């Protein structure tokens, strides 16, 4: 039962990270289209009106750290775009864990911890750039950092609790189905 709770938590944090990264990517794309728009700098994007005043989100969006390959592509690829794909993968994987029963398998949960290490390490690097280099804090970015941290911690909790519950051997279940009809039904 504990593994279910941790698997659900990883799903929730993956979806919240995806949401924050989506709004960040949306703001970046509007900026590239030269649309004068308000920035969605809020811990609850979409529910709070966007702000037109200069904020930490505006400063981080305009910084050189907000995208890669700026000189090769028009405006570059926003850092939040691959973040969206990572969080989407983590959400689909958490869904797989929940519906397959693999949330009790130590090998699978160790992969989950390794997969969550990517966004949490990226968040550490980006937080350093925001706090030290840019000296500005973006609420959307903080949402991504928080989702990454708590998602990693829930994946770690999932891995630690996976050995406490009996695991389901998915290969053995498939082998019994292929072996043929029961002896009572054999001719």
């Amino acid at each position: 039962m504990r593994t279910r709770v941790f698997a659900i938590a990883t799903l929730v944090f993956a979806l919240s990270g995806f949401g924050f990264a989506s709004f960040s990517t949306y703001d970046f794309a509007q900026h590239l289209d030269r649309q004068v728009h308000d920035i969605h700098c809020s811990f609850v994007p979409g529910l709070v009106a966007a702000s037109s005043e200069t904020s930490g989100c505006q400063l981080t969006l305009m910084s050189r750290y907000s995208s890669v390959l700026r000189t090769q592509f028009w405006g570059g690829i926003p850092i939040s775009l691959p973040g969206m794909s990572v969080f989407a993968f983590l959400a689909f994987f958490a869904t797989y864990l929940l519906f397959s029963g693999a949330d009790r398998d130590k090998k699978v949960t160790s992969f989950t911890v390794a997969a969550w290490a990517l966004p949490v390490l990226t968040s550490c690097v980006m937080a350093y750039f925001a706090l030290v280099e840019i000296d500005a804090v973006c609420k959307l970015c903080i949402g991504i950092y928080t989702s990454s941290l708590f998602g990693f911690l829930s994946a770690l909790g999932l891995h630690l609790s996976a050995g406490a519950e009996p695991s389901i051997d998915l290969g053995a279940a498939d082998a019994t189905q292929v072996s043929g009809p029961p002896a009572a039904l054999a001719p």
Side-chain angles (χ1 to χ4, degrees):
M1 182 64 181
R2 286 182 51 196
T3 58
R4 277 280 202 240
V5 172
F6 285 120
I8 290 170
T10 59
L11 176 61
V12 168
F13 291 122
L15 292 174
S16 69
F18 180 81
F20 284 116
S22 297
F23 274 99
S24 182
T25 302
Y26 175 75
D27 281 339
F28 190 87
Q30 278 195 323
H31 168 70
L32 286 180
D33 286 343
R34 300 184 198 283
Q35 297 177 17
V36 177
H37 70 289
D38 298 336
I39 303 292
H40 294 90
C41 192
S42 169
F43 286 120
V44 186
L47 293 180
V48 177
S51 172
S52 61
E53 62 189 50
T54 303
S55 64
C57 292
Q58 181 76 23
L59 293 173
T60 56
L61 177 69
M62 300 300 179
S63 77
R64 63 184 175 147
Y65 302 109
S66 66
S67 66
V68 295
L69 304 172
R70 282 182 179 245
T71 57
Q72 287 81 7
F73 296 107
W74 175 50
I77 300 169
I79 294 295
S80 56
L81 185 62
M84 283 176 60
S85 64
V86 168
F87 284 117
F89 168 77
L90 292 170
F92 281 117
F93 194 74
T95 304
Y96 162 74
L97 290 175
L98 284 169
F99 288 110
S100 70
D103 57 337
R104 295 181 293 265
D105 186 351
K106 276 285 205 192
K107 289 179 185 177
V108 175
T109 59
S110 64
F111 173 78
T112 308
V113 173
W116 272 98
L118 177 63
V120 82
L121 292 174
T122 304
S123 293
C124 290
V125 170
M126 294 308 290
Y128 170 80
F129 287 146
L131 295 172
V132 176
E133 299 290 326
I134 303 169
D135 195 28
V137 179
C138 170
K139 291 180 184 175
L140 288 174
C141 298
I142 291 172
I144 294 171
Y145 306 157
T146 304
S147 297
S148 298
L149 175 64
F150 286 118
F152 178 77
L153 293 175
S154 62
L156 193 59
L158 175 66
H159 179 66
L160 294 175
S161 66
E165 295 182 22
S167 64
I168 298 173
D169 186 8
L170 298 176
D174 291 339
T176 59
Q177 293 173 356
V178 180
S179 64
L185 298 177

